[in-house]
Amino acid sequence: MPVTIGAKESTFADPLGLLTDCHRRIERFLGVLRTVAGQNSGGPLSPEHARALEAALNYFRDAAPKHHADEEQDLFPQLRALDRPEAEALLRRMAQLEEQHRAAALCHAEIDSLGRRWLSTNRLSEPDVARFKDLVSILDNLYPTHIAQEESEVFPFARAVLSESAKQMLGRRMAERRGAPFEAAWRGES
Ligand SMILES: [Fe+2]
Ligand SMILES: [Fe+2]
């Protein structure tokens, strides 16, 4: 089960493109969690599955929160500040998306704890494997709609209404969050 991080085609100059790239990584690493949980019953993991699980846990612990912060601390506030009455429904949607970030973070915290126990002790009890699978199912239900709403509603709206300087500010903030120079193509993983 090879784990592909994926080509990073966007740069900080196209922050909405970068946010979309992030979604592809979330989907890939969620797929890793699904595969590991689905193909193992709690015994020792193969070296390949152990590596893949650790990479997915690290991604969701270290990198994915930066994506949520990009949206909650920068993109969504920029859109709210525009004060556009026609975007009222979209603004409500953004509040729901923020709640979903919170729900996903709780699932990821528990998955992280279970997954790291699995890696460090080479086993996971039957109830814990069942719980791991349940948590992945919750995320499987949450992320596709969440991502689709951002990509079909929020990001196109942002592309249409944000000024070039606002987009550049968003890209700069995303670069700062990752300790990367704004001018460079992104080499991070969130
Ligand atoms: Fe989001
Ligand atoms: Fe997102």
Side-chain angles (χ1 to χ4, degrees):
M1 183 189 54
V3 176
T4 310
I5 304 297
K8 299 169 194 65
E9 292 165 3
S10 304
T11 70
F12 290 114
D14 178 15
L16 294 160
L18 273 185
L19 290 172
T20 304
D21 294 346
C22 294
H23 289 166
R24 302 293 81 81
R25 281 184 281 276
I26 288 171
E27 289 162 351
R28 281 195 200 96
F29 282 116
L30 182 58
V32 170
L33 296 178
R34 193 186 310 120
T35 300
V36 169
Q39 295 184 4
N40 296 279
S41 54
L45 295 170
S46 68
E48 188 187 13
H49 274 201
R51 270 195 305 276
L53 175 59
E54 186 171 19
L57 295 177
N58 289 344
Y59 172 78
F60 284 115
R61 182 192 62 191
D62 301 332
K66 295 191 178 87
H67 174 79
H68 292 167
D70 294 334
E71 293 172 346
E72 290 193 19
Q73 295 175 25
D74 296 303
L75 176 62
F76 294 175
Q78 281 184 327
L79 296 177
R80 287 186 175 113
L82 293 173
D83 196 21
R84 294 216 174 201
E86 78 272 23
E88 204 178 305
L90 192 83
L91 298 184
R92 278 200 301 275
R93 172 84 71 217
M94 291 191 311
Q96 291 170 353
L97 293 169
E98 287 171 334
E99 283 172 24
Q100 289 168 359
H101 289 167
R102 227 76 59 230
L106 288 174
C107 287
H108 283 301
E110 202 176 337
I111 286 174
D112 191 76
S113 158
L114 293 169
R116 292 194 192 277
R117 192 184 326 148
W118 201 346
L119 289 171
S120 63
T121 64
N122 251 338
R123 71 176 300 278
L124 200 62
S125 70
E126 214 172 285
D128 282 345
V129 172
R131 179 64 184 158
F132 191 103
K133 285 181 181 172
D134 286 347
L135 290 161
V136 173
S137 293
I138 293 170
L139 294 173
D140 271 335
N141 284 322
L142 184 152
Y143 274 123
T145 311
H146 182 100
I147 285 173
Q149 287 173 345
E150 289 181 346
E151 292 187 10
S152 67
E153 299 176 39
V154 181
F155 296 175
F157 180 70
R159 278 192 193 283
V161 301
L162 289 180
S163 66
E164 280 313 307
S165 65
K167 287 175 191 160
Q168 192 175 90
M169 177 58 68
L170 176 61
R172 284 191 184 281
R173 292 273 299 151
M174 290 172 65
E176 278 170 21
R177 187 165 284 118
R178 291 159 180 86
F182 173 71
E183 292 74 17
W186 191 13
R187 293 288 177 266
E189 290 181 1
S190 58

